Amino acid sequence: MGEKTPFDEMYNPDGSVREPYRALAEWLAEQPDKGLALMQTDAEAIFRKLGITFAVYGSDEGNEKVIPFDVIPRIIAANEWRRLSKGIEQRVKALNAFLYDIYHRQEILKAGRVPEKLILNNEAFCPQMMGLEPAKGVYAHIIGVDIVRVGPDEFYVLEDNLRTPSGVSYMLEDREAMMLLAPDLFHRSKVAPVEIYPENLRRTLESVAPDSARGAPNIAVLTPGIYNSAYFEHSFLADQMGAQLCEGPDLFVDGGKVYMRTTCGPEQVDVIYRRIDDDYLDPLTFRPDSMLGVPGLFDAYRAGNVTLVNAPGTGIADDKAVYTYVPDIIEFYLGEKALLSNVPTYNCTDEDQRAWVLENIADLVVKEVHGSGGYGMMVGPTSTKAMHAEFRKKIEARPDNYIVQPTLNLSTCPTHISGDVAPRHVDLRPYVLVGDEVRITPGGLTRVALKKGSLVVNSSQGGGTKDTWVLED
């Protein structure tokens, strides 16, 4: 899948600088001795002041941490980005078509292109969504597609996030910090803007408002509250869009419509950007013990009086077992070959594949089908023999619960590590908005594994972030 030495995004094998990084290389060479270290300290101060923190579950050192930010941006050439965004757009269109089909006639299951039991017995499948017509036929309006690079022209999609993808506030704040820290570097390059995201998010939400909405649609961001690890992002996006930030008890349903309690009396809500999982949305339809949701919300949604973004049940399309079928899904609905490749994935329910996986587990990556955020996974080459044995047992006990992939040699970018510049592995999460049109913000969130040799970029596992620059022609 990749050679032993990972692809270096800044340097060619002969040590010369790749074209997109030329201006950055010159700028780095001009920095005084402690220049980057001082910028790093300033960056941390900026993020603390903005209050950008995230909760780390199961860690002893205080729960709120600032996600480490690296001051050296990652740079993507205009032609590379054009290719990526075409592939991303194709993918989100096909996944929305798949969701429409799964919750209507299920043609793809009848055609045998995706196994029926994989969908209908899946806990991410939401039977309550059957036959429901979402506004503009869109189910997943906000999508984060995780992409890795292993060569100059080799990109792979690692996973699709169609439920409630997070991290977009880091993309926006990384850019803001970078503009404060290195304005002179921006003057040397034409960098595509990312700060249009909140405006585009608002446009997307307004475009899927129910037909009954009068005037400018009323938008609310529904958060589980201050104890959620992404609460900063919920309040940040509501603020940037000029929308109301609400918790479950701030909303109520009356006569099939959703209202927000305000000091001036109830106000009807047209669109809810919800950052609460399906199960907790409405205690009358889903989990009856949920204190986070709004009783009667789902009936108001079914009646077409409010739009939920993203729709309930979208998780069936980003399920790790369904992921392996995305190239078929693209072909089935669009009649096109996938422009972005999936990572080759082994199916442990197949006896031959399982036998091969168990034998070669030390070289492979094992992921729990419903795991996320780097929890419930094992990277073979960096794990102990005991871990290999433990995951062999887990796969034998529940082969359907795991997918297995080769260990990808993720590309590296120059990263500031305690006064020095060294290569570290990165991935990319571009953010896509789907409403009246598909809007893709240039770049996205680059996550970087700060530990030497580590391939795990998740912030919960010690990763950091970088500003991502897409150069304009």
Side-chain angles (χ1 to χ4, degrees):
M1 285 264 8
E3 285 63 57
K4 281 290 172 267
T5 42
F7 171 67
D8 189 315
E9 298 197 4
M10 180 155 167
Y11 295 105
N12 290 311
D14 65 5
S16 59
V17 176
R18 288 182 64 248
E19 183 62 44
Y21 278 87
R22 291 224 172 122
L24 176 67
E26 285 167 15
W27 179 83
L28 280 172
E30 293 161 17
Q31 295 312 299
D33 264 1
K34 299 245 164 50
L36 290 176
L38 286 169
M39 275 175 71
Q40 204 65 61
T41 314
D42 289 349
E44 172 124 353
I46 290 170
F47 285 115
R48 282 218 177 274
K49 191 166 152 239
L50 291 167
I52 305 190
T53 54
F54 73 102
V56 181
Y57 301 108
S59 107
D60 300 335
E61 37 182 322
N63 281 343
E64 293 293 322
K65 288 171 95 170
V66 170
I67 287 196
F69 168 70
D70 182 61
V71 295
I72 302 173
R74 179 204 199 158
I75 300 177
I76 298 171
N79 60 334
E80 294 171 342
W81 178 248
R82 268 195 297 276
R83 235 194 88 200
L84 279 177
S85 55
K86 275 200 183 97
I88 293 166
E89 179 161 353
Q90 177 195 54
R91 211 166 164 100
V92 301
K93 283 181 171 164
L95 288 169
N96 266 303
F98 169 70
L99 285 163
Y100 190 89
D101 184 25
I102 286 304
Y103 290 118
H104 287 82
R105 300 176 58 132
Q106 303 185 337
E107 302 288 356
I108 199 165
L109 304 186
K110 290 177 191 150
R113 296 289 289 273
V114 172
E116 194 170 286
K117 70 173 199 302
L118 181 65
I119 303 298
L120 306 183
N121 301 346
N122 195 312
E123 59 190 58
F125 176 72
C126 178
Q128 294 88 341
M129 286 294 293
M130 285 303 292
L132 190 146
E133 293 296 327
K136 297 219 168 15
V138 179
Y139 286 78
H141 315 76
I142 299 161
I143 301 169
V145 183
D146 290 347
I147 293 176
V148 294
R149 184 175 197 173
V150 297
D153 299 310
E154 248 186 304
F155 294 91
Y156 288 96
V157 174
L158 212 48
E159 62 181 49
D160 306 281
N161 299 279
L162 287 90
R163 303 174 201 215
T164 50
S166 65
V168 77
S169 57
Y170 298 117
M171 170 187 84
L172 295 167
E173 295 293 27
D174 284 359
R175 173 61 52 90
E176 200 169 315
M178 207 61 213
M179 289 176 103
L180 289 170
L181 295 164
D184 52 327
L185 182 52
F186 278 92
H187 291 314
R188 304 182 189 198
S189 312
K190 244 186 115 181
V191 183
V194 296
E195 49 277 12
I196 45 172
Y197 180 85
E199 171 60 26
N200 280 342
L201 175 58
R202 188 176 180 95
R203 278 189 188 154
T204 300
L205 298 177
E206 287 179 344
S207 76
V208 293
D211 296 336
S212 56
R214 294 188 193 92
N218 204 0
I219 297 170
V221 177
L222 179 59
T223 175
I226 57 171
Y227 297 108
N228 183 272
S229 65
Y231 180 74
F232 164 79
E233 178 159 296
H234 309 162
S235 62
F236 174 82
L237 288 173
D239 185 44
Q240 295 277 311
M241 281 195 294
Q244 292 296 329
L245 181 68
C246 297
E247 293 182 31
D250 300 330
L251 301 174
F252 67 94
V253 175
D254 185 24
K257 292 177 178 156
V258 182
Y259 296 91
M260 175 168 40
R261 303 176 204 279
T262 75
T263 47
C264 312
E267 238 178 70
Q268 194 179 337
V269 177
D270 303 303
V271 181
I272 297 175
Y273 173 19
R274 50 95 176 203
R275 296 292 295 254
I276 289 180
D277 293 343
D278 289 6
D279 279 353
Y280 298 95
L281 271 175
D282 179 349
L284 300 183
T285 304
F286 303 109
R287 276 183 66 154
D289 62 345
S290 169
M291 306 298 286
L292 301 172
V294 183
L297 176 60
F298 194 78
D299 283 347
Y301 174 56
R302 268 207 89 96
N305 294 328
V306 70
T307 301
L308 293 177
V309 169
N310 289 350
T314 52
I316 191 65
D318 72 10
D319 180 83
K320 286 188 176 71
V322 173
Y323 160 89
T324 54
Y325 293 93
V326 173
D328 300 310
I329 286 171
I330 291 171
E331 213 165 293
F332 187 82
Y333 298 106
L334 305 181
E336 301 166 1
K337 285 262 178 271
L339 297 171
L340 286 173
S341 305
N342 265 18
V343 180
T345 302
Y346 304 102
N347 174 359
C348 294
T349 55
D350 176 284
E351 217 166 299
D352 297 341
Q353 290 189 41
R354 183 169 67 245
W356 189 87
V357 160
L358 294 173
E359 201 169 308
N360 295 281
I361 202 159
D363 305 321
L364 302 168
V365 176
V366 182
K367 296 178 182 173
E368 226 175 276
V369 169
H370 297 294
S372 69
Y375 295 98
M377 70 182 275
M378 182 204 71
V379 180
T382 57
S383 299
T384 59
K385 285 205 163 75
M387 287 280 285
H388 298 160
E390 183 193 330
F391 271 82
R392 270 196 197 97
K393 277 200 188 114
K394 286 183 170 186
I395 291 170
E396 282 173 324
R398 282 210 52 198
D400 61 324
N401 199 35
Y402 295 92
I403 62 162
V404 179
Q405 295 171 334
T407 306
L408 287 188
N409 216 346
L410 307 191
S411 61
T412 63
C413 278
T415 303
H416 176 253
I417 305 285
S418 50
D420 224 5
V421 176
R424 289 292 185 267
H425 295 289
V426 290
D427 81 350
L428 178 67
R429 177 178 287 186
Y431 293 92
V432 192
L433 297 167
V434 185
D436 51 343
E437 57 181 272
V438 176
R439 299 176 171 96
I440 307 177
T441 306
L445 181 67
T446 288
R447 299 184 298 176
V448 53
L450 295 170
K451 294 178 190 146
K452 188 174 181 177
S454 168
L455 294 165
V456 183
V457 295
N458 306 69
S459 49
S460 53
Q461 316 286 319
T465 67
K466 281 173 169 290
D467 190 12
T468 309
W469 292 15
V470 169
L471 300 180
E472 295 186 313
D473 284 326

